[in-house]
Amino acid sequence: MIRLCISIMALLLAACSAPADIRDSRFIMGTLVEFTVAGADEAASTVAITAAANEMQRIENAFTIYGNQNNSVKRFNRSQVGASVQLPEEISTLLATALTIKRESNGAFDPALGRLNRLWGFSLPEAPTSPPSSRAIEQAMPPATCIEKRNSGWARLHETCMLDFGAIAKGYAIDRGIEILRNHGIANAIINAGGDIRLIGSHGDQPWRIGIRHPRNRGEVIQSLELQGDVAVVTSGDYERFYIFKDKRYHHILDPKSGWPANTAQSVTVIAKSAMQADAWSTALFISEGHPDISRNLNIRLLIVNNRGEITKNTL
Ligand code: AMP
Ligand code: MG
């Protein structure tokens, strides 16, 4: 009996000595962002999470093209065609990265689809329930070369050219959130923004465990992963924002070549060093379904579920 009590006490002490995870969540960028910190003091973790969440909210405000608040991206989208416009350094840097990924993905990823995205309306407070007309789509499609560096600023080359960082800004915000946590001395944490994740360190003496959502079976995981260190895992899927019209699915990831939702995949998951890269490439490869010419030279790992629900590539 005495021995049993001692071992129960030892177990309790072990549980007490490992601090519990600190969790908090906020609604940012149209999704629930969950913060988990392991192995750190509660008060310090709470301060760090609040700072990280504030930074992510700041990034949403700076990059969004929706809502009533004004920002530099919206001003740029209203600027005169051909005029050079100064953008804040942070936006200019992300735009340059986005245009590089546009080139590397043969145009699959395009940060200048603002007008087309708005026409489809998946990010509007009330998304439409039927597709726009082919004529309206044609009129909203930007030319292949659309945004150009001009002196120290940027210029729109056509009335249809409007910036939309929707496929890369969430990843960038997650990266900044992790940076803020680190600046506050946090070494083990996960930021999970609606399934788009970056993690650092470990979960006690175990790796972090995460699940990749099945693109069709709600609540089901298609693959679980055990990861530690510094890794980002981001998924683009046709189940995130969509409607069914006349038995056909219409969703928020558009093929810039056709102006219609890309139809080769159900989901593409990318593991990369930064959430920004993983975010942009999961969108780009969703459109080109991991086109071997594009994905071969990238330093990323991939899970592709094609439009028939088959896993066609898995290097996770
Ligand atoms: P994600 O969920 O990261 O794949 O990004 C999808 C969001 O990015 C959409 O809601 C649009 O705002 C925008 N988007 C849609 N199609 C593209 C594309 N081909 N290239 C870049 N951004 C896109
Ligand atoms: Mg993306």
Side-chain angles (χ1 to χ4, degrees):
M1 184 64 193
I2 291 172
R3 212 186 303 155
L4 181 67
C5 283
I6 290 173
S7 36
I8 288 173
M9 269 179 64
L11 273 176
L12 286 175
L13 282 175
C16 290
S17 63
D21 293 349
I22 314 299
R23 295 170 191 276
D24 203 350
S25 59
R26 306 285 159 85
F27 196 77
I28 312 170
M29 300 190 146
T31 194
L32 190 72
V33 182
E34 294 171 293
F35 300 84
T36 308
V37 171
D41 170 71
E42 181 171 0
S45 302
T46 306
V47 170
I49 289 172
T50 302
N54 289 346
E55 172 66 354
M56 292 176 73
Q57 183 61 60
R58 181 193 67 75
I59 292 168
E60 172 176 5
N61 297 345
F63 283 93
T64 185
I65 57 167
Y66 297 98
N68 299 324
Q69 251 179 308
N70 214 350
N71 65 23
S72 301
V73 178
K74 289 181 187 170
R75 274 192 292 279
F76 178 81
N77 285 347
R78 291 194 299 265
S79 67
Q80 207 189 325
V81 170
S84 172
V85 177
Q86 292 282 341
L87 288 172
E89 197 186 331
E90 181 180 46
I91 293 171
S92 188
T93 304
L94 200 66
L95 175 54
T97 303
L99 290 174
T100 302
I101 296 171
K102 173 177 173 166
R103 204 181 54 242
E104 290 173 348
S105 67
N106 299 333
F109 178 92
D110 190 342
L113 296 182
R115 172 160 300 180
L116 191 65
N117 289 326
R118 186 174 274 275
L119 175 71
W120 278 94
F122 288 100
S123 299
L124 294 171
E126 273 192 49
T129 50
S130 61
S133 69
S134 303
R135 192 177 147 75
I137 291 170
E138 258 165 52
Q139 286 171 347
M141 277 183 54
T145 308
C146 213
I147 310 278
E148 204 173 71
K149 189 112 195 127
R150 280 275 168 87
N151 307 320
S152 57
W154 295 89
R156 300 162 65 218
L157 302 185
H158 190 263
E159 206 46 65
T160 52
C161 303
M162 292 191 174
L163 294 178
D164 177 347
F165 290 95
I168 190 171
K170 199 203 278 178
Y172 172 65
I174 295 171
D175 288 338
R176 286 288 304 144
I178 287 289
E179 205 174 321
I180 300 286
L181 293 180
R182 276 192 167 137
N183 292 347
H184 281 75
I186 303 295
N188 306 291
I190 289 196
I191 299 180
N192 179 354
D196 295 347
I197 290 168
R198 181 156 161 197
L199 58 89
I200 52 170
S202 59
H203 192 208
D205 53 8
Q206 301 286 315
W208 290 103
R209 277 186 72 90
I210 62 166
I212 311 291
R213 230 183 103 169
H214 191 290
R216 287 293 175 272
N217 307 344
R218 250 189 116 74
E220 211 177 279
V221 163
I222 197 165
Q223 187 162 338
S224 335
L225 297 169
E226 293 194 343
L227 297 165
Q228 57 191 339
D230 185 353
V231 195
V233 187
V234 177
T235 301
S236 283
D238 68 359
Y239 52 84
E240 293 173 317
R241 273 174 269 160
F242 73 97
Y243 54 78
I244 306 282
F245 178 72
K246 293 190 177 164
D247 294 332
K248 200 169 167 336
R249 178 183 292 253
Y250 295 87
H251 62 86
H252 70 307
I253 306 168
L254 305 178
D255 182 344
K257 296 207 165 66
S258 69
W260 290 77
N263 58 13
T264 53
Q266 292 180 355
S267 76
V268 172
T269 303
V270 169
I271 296 189
K273 270 302 269 180
S274 78
M276 179 188 72
Q277 288 287 333
D279 190 1
W281 280 108
S282 64
T283 307
L285 295 172
F286 183 98
I287 292 149
S288 47
E289 207 207 331
H291 194 290
D293 292 346
I294 300 174
S295 54
R296 191 181 301 134
N297 297 321
L298 297 168
N299 195 16
I300 58 177
R301 286 150 67 190
L302 271 176
L303 172 70
I304 296 175
V305 182
N306 73 5
N307 58 9
R308 290 183 300 280
E310 303 152 350
I311 295 179
T312 50
K313 190 172 179 92
N314 190 353
T315 55
L316 297 188

